Amino acid sequence: MKKLPRKTITRVLLYIRTLEALAKEKRFLVSSKQLSEITGLSDVKIRKDISNFKKIGKPRVGYKTLDLKRTLENYLLQNNVVHLALFGVGNLGSAILSYPGFHQNKIKLVAAFDIDRRKIGKTINGVKIYPVERAPEIIKKYHADIGIIAVPKEHCQEVADYMVLSGLSRILNFAPYSVSVPAKVQVRSIDFTIKILSLFCDAHK
Amino acid sequence: MKKLPRKTITRVLLYIRTLEALAKEKRFLVSSKQLSEITGLSDVKIRKDISNFKKIGKPRVGYKTLDLKRTLENYLLQNNVVHLALFGVGNLGSAILSYPGFHQNKIKLVAAFDIDRRKIGKTINGVKIYPVERAPEIIKKYHADIGIIAVPKEHCQEVADYMVLSGLSRILNFAPYSVSVPAKVQVRSIDFTIKILSLFCDAHK
DNA sequence: TTTTAATCGTTCATAATTTCACGATTGATA
DNA sequence: TATCAATCGTGAAATTATGAACGATTAAAA
């Protein structure tokens, strides 16, 4: 199967989440039309996304919730659990450590790092806080896949550099600042300010 | 001038932020090439985005940082300050209340709402926490533009409904769940889980 | 003054994404 | 059994976004 575009991957992950919720409500059959109403995406787009995998739907009936979920997950995640390492245990970092969405499955926070001596050694939600100097060692030990930047923007570039040095090749940056990294490293950003202003401007014009 | 696509708006907001940072470092001239290196976007795309506004660059020189910033801001933001209302003062909500990125300019948190009696009446970072029942009144009083959902996913739909009822027509949803709203209301989501898994899958394949 | 090199703005071509249109399949109904 | 309505899967068309190419302009250097 060919590599899927990132946008498709994002949508498929949304389908997985939606199917999970449907299964919990004991809705074991679902049509592209219904998924469309829940997610706000068009039904054709949903069918086309799903058709990347295999013919699994039945005309007149729809998809079996659990079969579809399993098929999508098998392709995208293959039972992997993503290991996260968090850099920065301030307000935002602490919220991420306590984020209930991670504690169900698929994502596991394996370690947190900070420079504040008062925080080091503590455990939040089962995750231990280490001094940032130990990042290379700890990241190898726990096989962290993705590093999260949750430090003040003044420090985000140096933290990013250190993450790369520690062996991380995927970074999610919460700081409102662009970081430069070697080409082999992937960075994505979650920037609250830009998200909010974009919603404002887009609706405004 | 024609309405800009959302993707363009998002990029332009990134330029504005970048130009701000450059000005702080006293770099008062910048070329599309340099902006490209900082942001990771291609220089052609940057020039094309900028050309939506007016001819403001000089060949061989680049753009005047402050002029360009002013031009982009004038078009997109027009000196508006975006007023936010936060729903849910848990871990994530508290982090948002303390988020330093907002306290500079352009975005102002005007009120927070919660159902927990122990939180109501408190002030975090200058923002008062009200009982959620008072949302319609407070939102009108402070002219909130955008509502933020930071409640557990089990409650996000009811909160969204109540936001719409209170007069909000733009919602930023941090809960990992799709919410349905009337067509005139715009919802965007920031979903940590999907962001992380998408980064994982995309790099993985 | 002329030449040179950097950089802008724009056109055109390419690629990616979304939407449309429709045939095929299925379960329910007459 | 034959018909009907719902829904899937998909090829083609339309739209949107990206990238390449290049002339035009400018400041600096020769």
Side-chain angles (χ1 to χ4, degrees):
Chain A
M1 190 185 304
K2 68 171 190 298
K3 188 183 175 305
L4 300 176
R6 178 184 329 170
K7 283 184 133 186
T8 309
I9 292 178
T10 303
R11 286 194 302 268
V12 171
L13 291 165
L14 178 63
Y15 306 152
I16 293 174
R17 203 188 66 193
T18 307
L19 293 164
E20 231 155 52
L22 287 170
K24 243 180 221 150
E25 298 169 20
K26 307 229 182 297
R27 291 174 61 184
F28 295 117
L29 280 175
V30 65
S31 69
S32 58
K33 183 93 180 304
Q34 294 170 320
L35 285 172
S36 157
E37 278 154 15
I38 296 171
T39 61
L41 303 164
S42 86
D43 57 339
V44 186
K45 201 189 281 178
I46 292 172
R47 285 203 300 280
K48 198 163 256 174
D49 284 339
I50 291 172
S51 77
N52 281 296
F53 303 93
K54 65 177 177 187
K55 291 195 188 182
I56 190 176
K58 262 196 191 170
R60 182 74 208 247
V61 176
Y63 305 91
K64 285 189 187 169
T65 308
L66 293 171
D67 284 359
L68 180 54
K69 172 169 170 284
R70 196 173 314 120
T71 301
L72 303 180
E73 279 181 352
N74 274 353
Y75 182 73
L76 278 192
L77 301 167
Q78 296 154 356
N79 276 20
N80 282 307
V81 173
V82 181
H83 289 187
L84 299 184
L86 174 72
F87 286 70
V89 190
N91 286 304
L92 181 59
S94 304
I96 292 172
L97 283 178
S98 310
Y99 188 64
F102 298 154
H103 295 289
Q104 307 183 357
N105 50 6
K106 298 190 183 72
I107 295 178
K108 185 168 161 51
L109 258 155
V110 294
F113 301 97
D114 206 295
I115 49 168
D116 185 340
R117 295 283 148 196
R118 286 165 301 177
K119 290 174 186 163
I120 290 166
K122 281 194 188 169
T123 293
I124 299 187
N125 229 315
V127 183
K128 197 166 168 194
I129 304 172
Y130 298 91
V132 76
E133 303 82 45
R134 292 188 62 194
E137 163 210 347
I138 301 289
I139 280 169
K140 270 169 205 80
K141 180 170 166 197
Y142 290 110
H143 303 99
D145 303 295
I146 298 181
I148 297 189
I149 300 180
V151 301
K153 67 171 189 289
E154 293 73 20
H155 301 294
C156 69
Q157 181 63 57
E158 53 183 297
V159 167
D161 293 342
Y162 198 64
M163 287 164 107
V164 174
L165 206 74
S166 304
L168 288 167
S169 61
R170 292 170 233 171
I171 295 176
L172 185 60
N173 179 23
F174 279 90
Y177 215 80
S178 306
V179 299
S180 335
V181 291
K184 53 156 194 177
V185 178
Q186 295 207 37
V187 186
R188 306 249 178 105
S189 288
I190 294 185
D191 187 319
F192 297 170
T193 304
I194 287 184
K195 268 278 182 183
I196 290 164
L197 292 177
S198 141
L199 176 53
F200 181 76
C201 296
D202 198 17
H204 213 233
K205 302 259 110 191
Chain B
M1 188 188 305
K2 68 168 191 298
K3 188 181 176 307
L4 300 176
R6 179 189 321 175
K7 281 185 136 186
T8 310
I9 292 179
T10 303
R11 286 194 302 267
V12 171
L13 290 165
L14 178 62
Y15 306 152
I16 293 175
R17 204 189 65 192
T18 306
L19 293 164
E20 231 155 52
L22 287 169
K24 241 180 223 151
E25 297 169 22
K26 307 229 182 297
R27 292 173 61 184
F28 295 116
L29 280 175
V30 66
S31 68
S32 58
K33 183 91 181 306
Q34 294 169 321
L35 285 173
S36 156
E37 278 154 15
I38 297 171
T39 61
L41 303 165
S42 87
D43 58 339
V44 185
K45 202 189 282 178
I46 292 172
R47 286 203 299 283
K48 198 168 261 173
D49 284 340
I50 291 173
S51 76
N52 281 297
F53 303 95
K54 66 178 175 186
K55 290 194 189 184
I56 191 175
K58 261 195 192 171
R60 184 72 208 248
V61 178
Y63 304 91
K64 286 189 185 169
T65 308
L66 293 171
D67 285 0
L68 180 53
K69 172 169 171 284
R70 198 175 312 120
T71 302
L72 303 181
E73 280 181 350
N74 274 354
Y75 182 73
L76 278 193
L77 301 166
Q78 296 155 354
N79 275 22
N80 283 305
V81 173
V82 180
H83 289 187
L84 298 184
L86 174 71
F87 286 70
V89 191
N91 286 305
L92 181 58
S94 303
I96 291 172
L97 283 177
S98 309
Y99 188 66
F102 297 154
H103 296 289
Q104 309 183 357
N105 50 9
K106 298 190 183 76
I107 295 178
K108 187 170 160 49
L109 256 156
V110 294
F113 301 97
D114 207 295
I115 50 167
D116 185 341
R117 296 283 147 196
R118 287 164 300 177
K119 291 174 186 165
I120 289 165
K122 281 195 187 169
T123 293
I124 299 186
N125 230 314
V127 182
K128 197 166 168 194
I129 303 172
Y130 298 92
V132 76
E133 302 83 45
R134 292 187 61 194
E137 162 210 348
I138 302 289
I139 281 169
K140 269 168 205 81
K141 180 170 167 197
Y142 290 109
H143 302 100
D145 301 294
I146 297 180
I148 297 189
I149 299 180
V151 301
K153 68 172 190 289
E154 292 73 19
H155 300 293
C156 68
Q157 181 63 57
E158 54 184 298
V159 167
D161 293 343
Y162 198 63
M163 288 164 108
V164 174
L165 206 75
S166 304
L168 289 167
S169 61
R170 290 170 235 173
I171 295 175
L172 184 60
N173 179 23
F174 279 90
Y177 214 81
S178 306
V179 299
S180 337
V181 291
K184 53 157 195 178
V185 177
Q186 295 207 37
V187 186
R188 306 246 178 108
S189 288
I190 294 184
D191 187 320
F192 296 170
T193 303
I194 286 183
K195 269 276 181 186
I196 289 164
L197 292 178
S198 141
L199 176 53
F200 180 76
C201 296
D202 199 17
H204 213 233
K205 301 261 113 191

